[in-house]
């Protein structure tokens, strides 16, 4: 016998037909399901597009390609190095210049670009190998390193302050060694390098307990040179620049090559 008072849409017990649900409720449920499915498909499509283009959906991660990071495009070789001349080198120079480096933007990877790339690598905590591989490319786009340095006038004055006994000769030695460029780096044929204003050698750097990064700091470099000079009160560490003491270089003398 049918149970009286059964609530519509609920199980009324054995042998009792449940009341049919309104058609509008089913339609709304189907619409909600369709919207959720469409949203999932859209999210998957965006993620797939982002991964294909080397980007994450949130804009972080990945290298990026095309106009945003040309060094990672197919137009640039995996490693950009000395002797290369193209738009990829120009992009490297542009990025270095944007960080404050004194460098020409001409697309020619010459001695000055080599010095600036090496200096950037030191300041960014990378291996200073002088070539622009993937780690250096990434750092050029993401690092906040600044490469602006002391002006020649400030360098001269500080050298004179630290070498009051021989101010002119000390300035001449620094000018001869680095053109008064705090980020000057000179590679030697034996694989070693000289660093900064007074071109402190790798051997002297180890002896003084310093690092290449410290050697590129003008204050540290000048004081390190003072320490070396103080041993015998001469410039024996810089024999090839002794004659510069009698003929100081002009402040207009520029380091050639890009």
């Amino acid at each position: 016998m049918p149970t009286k008072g059964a609530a519509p849409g609920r199980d009324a017990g054995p042998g009792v037909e449940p009341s049919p649900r309104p058609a509008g409720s089913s339609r709304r449920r189907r619409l909600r399901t369709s919207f959720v499915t469409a949203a999932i498909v859209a999210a998957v499509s965006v993620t797939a597009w982002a991964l294909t283009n080397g980007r994450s959906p949130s804009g972080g991660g990945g290298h990026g390609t095309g106009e945003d990071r040309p060094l990672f495009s197919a137009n640039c070789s995996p490693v950009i190095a000395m002797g290369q001349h193209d738009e990829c080198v120009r992009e490297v120079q542009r990025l270095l210049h944007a960080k404050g480096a004194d460098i020409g933007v001409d697309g020619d990877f010459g001695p000055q670009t080599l010095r600036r790339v090496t200096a950037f690598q030191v300041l960014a905590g990378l291996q200073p190998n002088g070539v622009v591989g993937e780690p250096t490319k990434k750092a050029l786009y993401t690092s906040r390193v600044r490469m602006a340095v002391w002006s020649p006038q400030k360098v001269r004055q500080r050298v004179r302050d630290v070498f009051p006994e021989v101010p002119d000769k000390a300035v001449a030695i620094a000018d001869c060694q680095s053109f008064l460029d705090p980020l000057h780096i000179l590679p030697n044929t034996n694989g070693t390098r000289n660093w900064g204003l007074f071109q402190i050698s790798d051997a002297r750097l180890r002896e003084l307990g310093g690092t290449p990064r410290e050697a590129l700091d003008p204050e540290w470099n000048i004081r390190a040179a003072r320490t070396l000079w103080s041993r015998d009160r001469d410039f024996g560490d810089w024999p090839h620049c002794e004659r510069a003491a009698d003929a100081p270089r002009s402040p207009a003398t520029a380091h050639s090559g890009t």
Side-chain angles (χ1 to χ4, degrees):
M1 180 176 180
T3 303
K4 296 181 179 180
R10 294 183 182 177
D11 189 357
V16 178
E17 291 280 9
S19 300
R21 296 186 179 184
S25 175
S26 299
R27 187 179 300 109
R28 286 194 297 271
R29 188 165 59 253
R30 287 196 299 273
L31 286 175
R32 282 198 300 269
T33 302
S34 299
F35 286 142
V36 171
T37 302
I40 293 173
V41 171
V44 171
S45 299
V46 168
T47 301
W49 176 88
L51 293 174
T52 301
N53 286 274
R55 303 185 182 104
S56 68
S58 63
H63 292 146
T65 57
E67 294 182 359
D68 58 344
R69 295 188 176 187
L71 293 180
F72 286 105
S73 71
N75 295 326
C76 292
S77 58
V79 176
I80 302 167
M82 182 81 165
Q84 200 167 324
H85 184 98
D86 54 28
E87 288 302 311
C88 300
V89 176
R90 190 183 299 276
E91 173 72 355
V92 170
Q93 294 169 332
R94 184 190 67 78
L95 292 167
L96 290 170
H97 182 74
K99 294 182 182 299
D102 177 15
I103 186 173
V105 182
D106 60 3
D108 182 17
F109 200 127
Q112 183 67 346
T113 299
L114 174 64
R115 286 190 283 268
R116 292 299 183 246
V117 166
T118 306
F120 170 75
Q121 291 170 328
V122 170
L123 297 174
L126 302 172
Q127 180 185 0
N129 54 19
V131 300
V132 184
E134 182 171 339
T136 302
K137 289 180 180 181
K138 182 177 179 181
L140 283 169
Y141 286 115
T142 62
S143 172
R144 295 184 179 181
V145 165
R146 299 300 302 167
M147 300 183 70
V149 296
W150 290 5
S151 67
Q153 293 75 19
K154 184 174 181 178
V155 169
R156 286 193 192 87
Q157 185 57 54
R158 189 58 186 146
V159 171
R160 289 178 180 278
D161 292 343
V162 175
F163 288 88
E165 304 89 345
V166 285
D168 291 338
K169 188 169 184 178
V171 169
I173 293 291
D175 196 353
C176 172
Q177 286 287 314
S178 67
F179 307 103
L180 304 183
D181 174 14
L183 297 183
H184 193 78
I185 300 171
L186 181 66
N188 301 310
T189 56
N190 62 2
T192 63
R193 278 173 282 201
N194 298 338
W195 306 90
L197 285 171
F198 279 89
Q199 289 292 274
I200 308 297
S201 68
D202 283 334
R204 287 293 191 228
L205 204 54
R206 288 191 296 270
E207 187 180 316
L208 294 168
T211 64
R213 186 185 184 96
E214 288 175 316
L216 296 183
D217 173 61
E219 181 68 25
W220 191 95
N221 196 287
I222 295 169
R223 290 194 172 279
R226 168 78 189 191
T227 298
L228 296 175
W229 176 85
S230 298
R231 293 175 177 179
D232 298 307
R233 296 182 74 81
D234 66 26
F235 290 97
D237 271 80
W238 302 273
H240 301 296
C241 284
E242 281 290 326
R243 287 177 296 177
D246 299 320
R249 302 190 66 152
S250 165
T253 300
H255 32 276
S256 61
T258 57

